[in-house]
Amino acid sequence: MRTKRTAGLLEAAPWPATEDHTTILALESGIMANTPDPIGAPGGALEIEESEPKVEEPPRYNVVLLNDDYTPMEFVVGVLERFFGMDREQAVRVMLHVHTRGKGVCGTFSREIAETKVSKVNQFSREHQHPLLCTMEHA
Ligand code: TYC
């Protein structure tokens, strides 16, 4: 919610805040010299509007492994260790989850890191002639 320091003239400005989160309204200043004053308040002062910083977290992505009927369990465990830094116990747990539930999350990353993981895992699986598939979805 944006607030402004000067009371009164405009309650909800429809334009976006500037990058430093301050909108200067040149209503009475003479900057808009040929523009009739829409409100009629005299004085010529600049109105300073302050707004909340609009900093959003970058989106995150789950890297997901899909089950199939042919890829050996040992190969999947190896993939989880090699590309997702899991220890053996964790890798076996995730592999069995994928095996029984159909898919499972290997990790959550920025878009670029997730894309790279997916690409490397799928290339590695192809190189070893396994149909194992890795994909990503919005977290
Ligand atoms: N279902 C496979 C099998 O029975 C094992 C497997 C687990 C394959 C996880 C893919 O993502 C996977 N050999």
Side-chain angles (χ1 to χ4, degrees):
M1 169 72 79
R2 278 190 280 155
T3 57
K4 55 190 171 65
R5 200 185 296 158
T6 334
L9 296 181
L10 294 171
E11 284 309 324
W15 50 81
T18 53
E19 270 193 359
D20 67 353
H21 318 300
T22 303
T23 301
I24 299 173
L25 306 177
L27 291 177
E28 317 295 341
S29 64
I31 291 174
M32 302 167 69
N34 294 323
T35 307
D37 173 6
I39 311 246
L46 285 179
E47 185 173 346
I48 307 298
E49 177 176 287
E50 293 170 356
S51 56
E52 294 292 315
K54 291 197 188 70
V55 179
E56 295 210 6
E57 296 293 318
R60 307 278 292 169
Y61 294 84
N62 291 333
V63 172
V64 175
L65 217 47
L66 304 180
N67 188 37
D68 66 74
D69 291 338
Y70 304 104
T71 305
M73 290 184 176
E74 181 53 43
F75 183 81
V76 179
V77 170
V79 162
L80 292 166
E81 290 173 328
R82 175 188 289 250
F83 294 101
F84 299 97
M86 296 184 194
D87 62 26
R88 191 134 198 108
E89 191 182 325
Q90 197 180 6
V92 167
R93 199 177 318 123
V94 172
M95 181 279 295
L96 287 175
H97 174 93
V98 176
H99 176 70
T100 54
R101 306 287 298 271
K103 65 179 187 174
V105 175
C106 309
T108 304
F109 308 95
S110 69
R111 181 207 290 266
E112 201 179 357
I113 299 290
E115 283 172 349
T116 303
K117 299 260 182 209
V118 167
S119 172
K120 284 184 173 178
V121 168
N122 287 336
Q123 183 182 344
F124 186 72
S125 300
R126 272 196 306 273
E127 281 168 3
H128 290 80
Q129 278 89 48
H130 294 308
L132 178 64
L133 278 183
C134 186
T135 183
M136 61 193 266
E137 53 190 37
H138 212 282

